[in-house]
Amino acid sequence: MTAKIIDGKAVAAQVRADIAVRVAEIKSKYGFQPGLAVVLVGEDPASQVYVRNKGKQTAEVGMKSIEHKLPVETSEADLLALVDKLNNDDTINGILVQLPLPDHVNAEKVLNTIDPMKDVDGFHPMNVGRLWIGERALVPCTPTGSIILAKSVQENLSGMEAVIIGRSNIVGKPVAQLLLRENCTVTLAHSRTKDLPGVVRRADIVVAAVGIPEFVKGDWIKPGAIVIDVGINRIPKDDGKSRLVGDVAYEEAAKVASAITPVPGGVGPMTIACLLRNTVEAALMQKGLVA
Ligand code: GUN
């Protein structure tokens, strides 16, 4: 079997096109423009690229995009004051503080200060808890994108065995909850899991989010499984340049799976698309326009 390659770029473009339509409807029907504020502290090159792309794509779907770029020495108190100001700004519906933050800032404290209704990352304990008890919540973007991609090849995931590798708060745990919501039987595997290859071989859906290059081997994959690779690892090449690989040994796995996400071009493009979706959702919640 040769797997279908799940085209994350194309699916993300479709999500953004849908958002652009919804933003236009919100403007004409309700007379306001949803707004997203992104806060970047310091000059981490990868973060600068993310933030630039977020700003560009936010504007492209017709939303207001605000960026606050602060020097690396910004104090925690000043950052908290900015978050507070954005919490109280009616033209801002979503707030994202780019991670990682400098060491002298308590990231948890900053994230927990964001108004849960504006927490488009879905990292606030209020949203985490609401997701787990099945109430309306803002859900983290990469997990949402992963589920959309799995459903792009199989709309109904009900009853499927899902194995997630990696138990982070940002990916593994929310993905587990989202797959449970799709009526999958969920195993959340991690570094201490016994016989990990044997566990993964049971899976109809594999979500790899461990951050180790090409960790999941082709012979761990059950024939016909759907493989969602959340990893983005930069590894050096012989010529001194580098290339991006996922957490799955792609070439091997693609011979066994029925569908697989590539790296790059799989889950990656979905994150910003889902962030824009969350911003629209947050705007509608704040205005009392959704239940
Ligand atoms: N840094 C890398 N990815 C993310 C993300 O999804 N959200 C935030 N806030 N920071 C990030």
Side-chain angles (χ1 to χ4, degrees), residues 8-172:
K9 271 194 199 166
V11 178
Q14 185 58 54
V15 171
R16 290 198 305 273
D18 293 347
I19 296 295
V21 170
R22 287 178 72 195
V23 170
E25 273 172 13
I26 289 171
K27 283 183 192 163
S28 66
K29 234 169 134 177
Y30 304 117
F32 76 95
Q33 182 188 29
L36 172 67
V38 174
V39 179
L40 173 64
V41 184
E43 295 185 356
D44 177 65
S47 291
Q48 284 176 325
V49 174
Y50 278 135
V51 168
R52 199 163 47 238
N53 287 336
K54 278 173 197 155
K56 187 166 161 276
Q57 294 186 25
T58 306
E60 273 169 10
V61 297
M63 292 199 285
K64 173 172 152 169
S65 166
I66 300 279
E67 281 172 25
H68 288 270
K69 293 186 179 159
L70 307 177
V72 69
E73 62 273 12
T74 301
S75 71
E76 184 179 291
D78 283 352
L79 189 52
L80 291 172
L82 173 60
V83 170
D84 193 48
K85 188 167 142 246
L86 295 170
N87 282 342
N88 291 301
D89 182 340
D90 285 345
T91 70
I92 295 299
N93 305 107
I95 303 169
L96 181 142
V97 177
Q98 183 70 24
L99 300 175
L101 285 168
D103 288 345
H104 67 273
V105 174
N106 181 340
E108 193 182 333
K109 193 165 170 189
V110 174
L111 297 180
N112 291 357
T113 302
I114 297 173
D115 179 345
M117 297 275 272
K118 295 190 177 184
D119 168 37
V120 284
D121 260 327
F123 292 165
H124 192 287
M126 177 81 87
N127 282 313
V128 175
R130 290 178 68 93
L131 174 64
W132 276 88
I133 58 175
E135 287 187 10
R136 179 180 283 278
L138 289 166
V139 179
C141 304
T142 301
T144 305
S146 302
I147 304 300
I148 293 174
L149 291 183
K151 293 187 71 163
S152 75
V153 287
Q154 176 144 353
E155 173 61 27
N156 185 359
L157 306 179
S158 182
M160 294 176 85
E161 285 277 348
V163 173
I164 301 140
I165 313 164
R167 55 178 154 179
S168 71
N169 290 334
I170 293 180
V171 182

Side-chain angles (χ1 to χ4, degrees), residues 7 10 22 35 41 70-71 75-76 95 108 118 126 159 172 184 205 210 213 215 219 222 237 278 290:
D7 184 348
R22 287 178 72 195
V41 184
L70 307 177
S75 71
E76 184 179 291
I95 303 169
E108 193 182 333
K118 295 190 177 184
M126 177 81 87
C184 291
I205 305 175
V210 268
F215 177 71
D219 68 359
K222 174 164 134 180
K237 290 197 298 185
N278 274 354
V290 285

Side-chain angles (χ1 to χ4, degrees), residues 28 247 255:
S28 66
D247 291 350
K255 293 193 179 104

